[in-house]
Amino acid sequence: MFEHCGARCFSLCALTLALSSTPALATHTLPTIDVAGATTRASHGTARPSGKPPQGAQARPAPPTESRLAAAAENVSPRPSYRDAPVTSSSTRSFTSDQVTSRSYEQPGQALEITPGLIVSQHSGAGKANQYFLRGFALDHGYDIGLTIDGMPINQASHVHSNGYADANFIIPELFSSVDVRKGPYFADEGQFSSVGAIHMQYLNSAPKGFVTATGGSFGYGRLLGVKSYAVGGGDLLMALELNNYNGPWERPDEQRKINGVARWSMGTETNGLAVTAMAYSNHWFATDQIPMHDVAMGLMSRWGTQDPSDGGNATRYSLSMRWSETNKSDFSRFEGYLIRTTTNLYDDFTYNLNNPLPLNDQVHQFDRRSMYGINALHGWNYSVASKPVETRVGFQSRYDEIRNGSGDSFFRQQYDEVRNDYLKNFSHGLWADTTVYWTPWFRTTGGFRLDYVHGSVNSVLNPALAPGWFTGTPFILGTANDGQLGRWFTSPKAGAVFGPFQDIAHSEFFLNFGEGFREEDLRGSVAHWDPVSGAYGPNNQLLTKTRGAEAGVRAKPLPGLDTTLSLFWQDFDAENVFNGDAGVTGYGRPGRRLGFEWTGNYAPTSWINAYAEVTGTHARFRGSDAPQQAAYLQLVTTGAGDPLFPFNIPGNAPGNYLMLAPVWVAKSGIDLGEKTGWFGGLYYRYFGSRPLTEDGQIKSSAMATVNARVGYRFENGWKLQVDAFNITNNRSSAIDYGYGAFARQDYFLLPGYAGGSNGIMDRYFKPQDPPAVRLTLSGPLTLLDQPAGVAAKF
């Protein structure tokens, strides 16, 4: 249940009690870097043990045993680069660009599958936000996984299609300097849309040699990327341009056309420097959405067919951001600010002809136009209390989304009525603090606290002439029935403890974590009183939903070159809510629980072999009984003869406790072979297990398993020729599945007299896994645009 604190203030408790230290099993100081005579903490991305206290805490000199073990400790648990936070959980990870791009992926969003346990899929074209699955959560288009790029949020609050909509199609993986991954509600500096996980991406500051990449392949795939940086005005000016097109295997080609650009001027480093970045992105596409399994099985339509050839959309994103950071011996600061402008137009048809008989269909047009303004501020101190090194961080995050969005029925991209049309002001503010105390060289604790205030307003501009549904059985003439303002306070405590590293126990570290967080619901659904689709009226004001979780894990390095991690996790949601983008209302569900484990392993026995494997298993269930679904099911069964599609509307509608779409098993593995020059290759396996698609578990998805391969040659002059092959075993399973009721055009052959008024034919609706495909890539240094020698660029 969410916290309702009004205007109450909060207090933070600092840990000040001292424990007596025992003989150390790990080093007690961080490596230092001398920059222009000033000693600072190691820069972002530097691998170092998580068990070390911050420099500047005046740690005592290490005994001989500590010195002997210092080198080994350096490789146990690297500290993440994201804002230089101490490692507090076993599932925290940090990756470099080379690690991301060494794996094979078909879409830019799938590059994020470097995150253990994460599956990134797509059900509607090459430009729509991906679907995300992690730790038993079907995260829709980004509901509870926070994505950022250079401190800018990608998730969009109160988006017309899905709250937290995270369109990552504009990212350029080759530009990553780091990708930092967190899971669970255990981090004080994680707030909006991060209750299940967060992925923070940082771009490079410079690429002096530059590079160009050209790729062509199956189904009309083409991509050209150029990256170059120059010395300008005492800093570096990085520029990147990407062009991309793709048709796909579909009968109605996607005809994706994407252009993407980045320009960044920076000076200094991530921890001591300044950067200003501009980005621009535009994408247009058609989309083949999910299709009914029964029609494909009966041969009434192709696996690659579509129900509406006009489905698709377009999107743009323009941003200007800045980052300033400073790191001294005893304190450090970081400030990020951003301005973002996005537009989205989507044309989707998921129920086909369920509501509108031929020649119309059920296509819906959704539009979203917004401006986002925000800041992230952080300051930290390194000090000592009773001879114990301590690091305290305090931060403030604030964001304002100014939104105009709406939806309505359309036919071949021509909208002819309105369901929602609103102006929204969506604010989110978070104040947080955490403190890490290094009690002994092998034991530290982190305590954190977060205070959030989310508020906003909705003002409808619905045109009554285009919204006849408002006149049916309701006293309200205009859409102002769903106008309103709402604000909620929320408090979230966090706690963690780390034991180790223990060099004599397989170089291991042990982690314990507990935390509370929140899910921010769509503002329109939270203030809405009237459902224009169902005609229901009533209060609907739940804006924040509490989540809590815990994790226990161990990291170890039992053999040279082998790193392995095992994490056990639990997470509860007070309500498994679902936002209906078509109606603009939120359906409030029962509480949910996930229990599971995550194992990862990486083995690099030599410089030319690297192998990895990971497995995540989750038990995901609703808690309590579903009385409304029980009543609805009884009504379907007892009065089903009045439904024109009876009994095809019955399967999957029984009450149950399965969390729909929740992944049970996720596994990934691969091996890379090759040195910096010469031949190289790789083989990559990806498994997405069967999932319940309805709460009774009667309709289930297929299991998906694909194998990708790569082979190439690296020349000594920096050029590289590479061939990627996808789905080489021709796996014919689904990329994604859903269970619901619909009525397709082909279903008129089975039930020619259908004229509407049903819940639909309950079935599995799926988008097939792409067939085997090949892409050829040529890349190398971009020397044609080198700055002439002796020429100093100036403003």
Side-chain angles (χ1 to χ4, degrees), residues 390-435:
V390 181
E391 178 176 295
T392 293
R393 304 185 307 151
V394 176
F396 177 70
Q397 299 156 351
S398 183
R399 169 179 171 179
Y400 166 48
D401 287 34
E402 187 175 25
I403 311 164
R404 170 73 183 279
N405 62 26
S407 63
D409 297 309
S410 61
F411 180 69
F412 272 78
R413 299 200 178 191
Q414 298 299 313
Q415 184 174 332
Y416 57 83
D417 67 10
E418 289 185 352
V419 174
R420 293 296 302 254
N421 195 341
D422 303 287
Y423 282 105
L424 294 89
K425 295 181 178 180
N426 205 130
F427 297 86
S428 178
H429 315 289
L431 180 64
W432 61 271
D434 63 17
T435 294

Side-chain angles (χ1 to χ4, degrees), residues 97-151:
S97 173
D98 287 343
Q99 289 173 311
V100 174
T101 57
S102 69
R103 300 192 184 185
S104 184
Y105 52 87
E106 295 183 82
Q107 307 171 23
Q110 287 183 340
L112 302 181
E113 288 190 356
I114 190 77
T115 302
L118 178 67
I119 290 292
V120 180
S121 189
Q122 180 57 273
H123 76 107
S124 183
K128 192 174 181 179
N130 292 106
Q131 296 275 341
Y132 304 93
F133 300 86
L134 179 68
R135 286 193 166 184
F137 287 89
L139 300 169
D140 200 34
H141 293 285
Y143 215 152
D144 295 298
I145 182 167
L147 306 183
T148 68
I149 182 79
D150 288 330

